[in-house]
């Protein structure tokens, strides 16, 4: 027998987190070890350094299934490759411009610094970013 109540499904975005091996991925690991809760929407991809993420990768992700991309690197001065995160910062500016060209809201992309000891901060960042993407709704490239 039906209750007559419609069950409204909450929109669950796909979030990609590109985390540098030396700090941010370790921070994500610590979040897991410390049992810090963050949404299951987040798929983490380990990269060696945030400076190695080409802008095209972010655009490709956002046009082919991801609703949001967060790029995480070491804090300034802590990059294992010296200035990779500074390069990432400049690339983030380029990514923001590219997003406009693609008609994608710039809030769908975020650059953040997370150290190996910042597990709770990693979880908080992912929770807040996921909430932000939920408010935006699905990527305009999703049919
Ligand atoms: Fe972490 Fe370069 S190694 S940003």
């Amino acid at each position: 027998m039906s209750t007559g109540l419609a069950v409204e499904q909450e929109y669950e975005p796909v979030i990609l987190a590109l985390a540098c091996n030396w700090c941010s991925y370790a921070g994500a690991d610590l979040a897991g070890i410390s049992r810090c809760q963050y949404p299951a929407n987040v798929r983490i991809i380990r990269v060696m350094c945030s400076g190695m993420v080409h802008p095209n990768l972010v655009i490709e992700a956002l046009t082919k299934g991801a609703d949001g991309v967060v790029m995480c690197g070491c804090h300034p001065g802590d990059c294992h490759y010296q200035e990779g995160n500074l390069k990432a910062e400049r690339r983030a500016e380029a990514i923001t411009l590219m997003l406009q060209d693609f008609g994608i809201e710039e809030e769908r992309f975020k650059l953040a610094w997370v150290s190996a000891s910042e597990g709770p901060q990693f979880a908080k960042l992912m929770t807040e970013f996921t909430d932000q993407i939920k408010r935006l709704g699905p990527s305009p490239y999703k049919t």
Side-chain angles (χ1 to χ4, degrees):
M1 185 175 117
S2 169
T3 60
L5 294 174
V7 179
E8 211 172 287
Q9 275 198 324
E10 194 181 358
Y11 157 62
E12 295 297 344
V14 175
I15 310 287
L16 215 60
L18 303 165
C20 88
N21 181 58
W22 303 102
C23 284
S24 305
Y25 191 81
D29 213 20
L30 181 62
I33 291 167
S34 312
R35 297 176 187 265
C36 298
Q37 299 279 324
Y38 64 88
N41 306 68
V42 181
R43 273 79 156 169
I44 302 172
I45 295 179
R46 177 163 44 174
V47 295
M48 290 311 286
C49 175
S50 62
M52 294 175 185
V53 177
H54 194 279
N56 285 350
L57 284 175
V58 174
I59 299 298
E60 193 168 338
L62 289 170
T63 53
K64 292 186 177 168
D67 298 295
V69 174
V70 57
M71 191 159 93
C72 304
C74 308
H75 285 271
D78 291 343
C79 175
H80 248 63
Y81 304 94
Q82 309 231 336
E83 296 187 348
N85 48 7
L86 302 181
K87 189 175 175 184
E89 211 163 29
R90 292 192 298 274
R91 285 185 161 177
E93 289 169 19
I95 290 166
T96 303
L97 290 174
M98 289 168 79
L99 291 176
Q100 289 172 14
D101 290 344
F102 278 84
I104 299 170
E105 303 93 331
E106 62 183 72
E107 293 83 6
R108 293 190 185 276
F109 170 72
K110 187 177 181 71
L111 173 66
W113 310 135
V114 179
S115 78
S117 63
E118 293 180 324
Q121 288 88 334
F122 180 86
K124 183 172 183 272
L125 171 69
M126 294 306 146
T127 303
E128 289 175 356
F129 189 67
T130 302
D131 288 346
Q132 180 175 312
I133 300 302
K134 278 186 177 179
R135 285 193 296 274
L136 278 175
S139 159
Y141 282 80
K142 276 197 171 153
T143 49

